[in-house]
Amino acid sequence: MAGGQAAGRTDRILDTTVQRRIYASVRASILDGTFPPGHRLIVAQLCDEYGSSQAPVREALRQLTDEGIISSLPYRGWAVRSFSWNEIAETYELREELEAWAVRRIKRREDTVDTSACRAALEQLSAAVAAKDGMAALEADLRFHEAVCELAGSALLVKTWHSVVMQFRGVRAFLSRKNPDDLSRLIPDHLTLLSALENGTAAEAEEEFRGHLTRALQKIKIVVSKVDGEQPAT
């Protein structure tokens, strides 16, 4: 009995380890655009790829479904989540409100704000731009904005921001692969944001962040229209 219980515990630990590995690998492939929106995730194929039984694969896919990154298709398994234009627009509008709230909270603080994490993200962004690495630039861009949200001192804000952004992350990477971003403006644009955060008034900083995200959405609209072959509805 004892030996059987120990074997059972070992099997569960192994399943959990395999499930985490599959989850991390599939998630990375979605977030970097390797698995594009609508890509079917076939359990049998994933089992073959990872040398796994179905249970860890299904559990990994359920976790990604809970995060909103993939969708469960009734009687058809799973697929990478696709976004309509309206959902993309709503994502950026919500980001705008979240980051504007973050900026207002930061500017209300009486102590000196440590923006070193923002500056570190800018260094990463600069390196990515110099290397003409669009995916690394996108990661550094998001890290900068995440660092701003962290400065607001609200765990709920960071959690909400992260949930909103990560759901759209794979689509954003896919669009960048289809139509590579112009990286030339990334550094000056983010330096302007940082300057407004450090030296501007609350109203000025909020205006800069809102404008930045509005312009980003406008650029994405152009890319979506190129990918779809038609201008998305507003």
Side-chain angles (χ1 to χ4, degrees), residues 96-109 148 152 157 197 201-203 205-207 209-210:
E96 184 178 322
E97 295 304 321
L98 291 171
E99 294 188 25
W101 188 61
V103 168
R104 291 197 299 272
R105 282 178 62 93
I106 292 168
K107 299 303 288 187
R108 284 202 302 264
R109 289 170 53 176
V148 171
L157 168 63
L197 188 65
T201 65
E206 181 178 344
E207 182 180 4
F209 273 81
R210 286 187 181 278

Side-chain angles (χ1 to χ4, degrees), residues 12-213:
R12 286 193 295 272
I13 291 171
L14 289 174
D15 278 353
T16 300
T17 301
V18 172
Q19 177 259 315
R20 288 174 179 168
R21 178 169 61 87
I22 295 170
Y23 160 82
S25 179
V26 173
R27 187 175 188 273
S29 294
I30 295 170
L31 296 186
D32 69 9
T34 301
F35 290 168
H39 177 82
R40 289 284 304 279
L41 297 165
I42 309 299
V43 171
Q45 291 179 354
L46 292 173
C47 288
D48 289 342
E49 180 177 349
Y50 294 103
S52 167
S53 63
Q54 288 195 10
V57 170
R58 290 182 179 278
E59 188 57 36
L61 295 178
R62 290 191 188 98
Q63 187 174 352
L64 291 167
T65 302
D66 290 342
E67 293 180 8
I69 296 174
I70 68 174
S71 299
S72 177
L73 307 175
Y75 309 108
R76 290 183 295 159
W78 286 268
V80 178
R81 184 176 174 185
S82 297
F83 280 76
S84 68
W85 169 249
N86 285 338
E87 288 175 313
I88 293 172
E90 287 174 0
T91 296
Y92 268 77
E93 289 166 7
L94 183 52
R95 267 193 68 183
E96 184 178 322
E97 295 304 321
L98 291 171
E99 294 188 25
W101 188 61
V103 168
R104 291 197 299 272
R105 282 178 62 93
I106 292 168
K107 299 303 288 187
R108 284 202 302 264
R109 289 170 53 176
E110 296 180 358
D111 58 322
T112 301
V113 177
D114 180 6
T115 57
S116 58
C118 298
R119 292 189 174 277
L122 275 176
E123 290 179 5
Q124 295 170 8
L125 184 58
S126 180
V129 170
K132 298 182 180 180
D133 187 338
M135 290 299 103
L138 179 56
E139 290 289 348
D141 183 336
L142 290 175
R143 176 56 197 142
F144 175 89
H145 289 270
E146 183 180 36
V148 171
C149 290
E150 290 169 352
L151 280 176
S154 169
L156 178 59
L157 168 63
V158 174
K159 181 179 179 180
T160 304
W161 181 91
H162 197 267
S163 175
V164 169
V165 169
M166 286 302 106
Q167 289 188 40
F168 177 60
R169 174 69 179 79
V171 177
R172 184 71 185 87
F174 170 73
L175 293 174
S176 293
R177 285 177 180 271
K178 285 288 187 179
N179 195 83
D181 294 326
D182 177 9
L183 304 180
S184 63
R185 288 299 311 169
L186 284 177
I187 302 301
D189 284 354
H190 285 80
L191 283 173
T192 298
L193 293 178
L194 183 59
S195 177
L197 188 65
E198 292 178 334
N199 306 311
T201 65
E204 289 169 343
E206 181 178 344
E207 182 180 4
E208 287 293 344
F209 273 81
R210 286 187 181 278
H212 174 80
L213 291 170

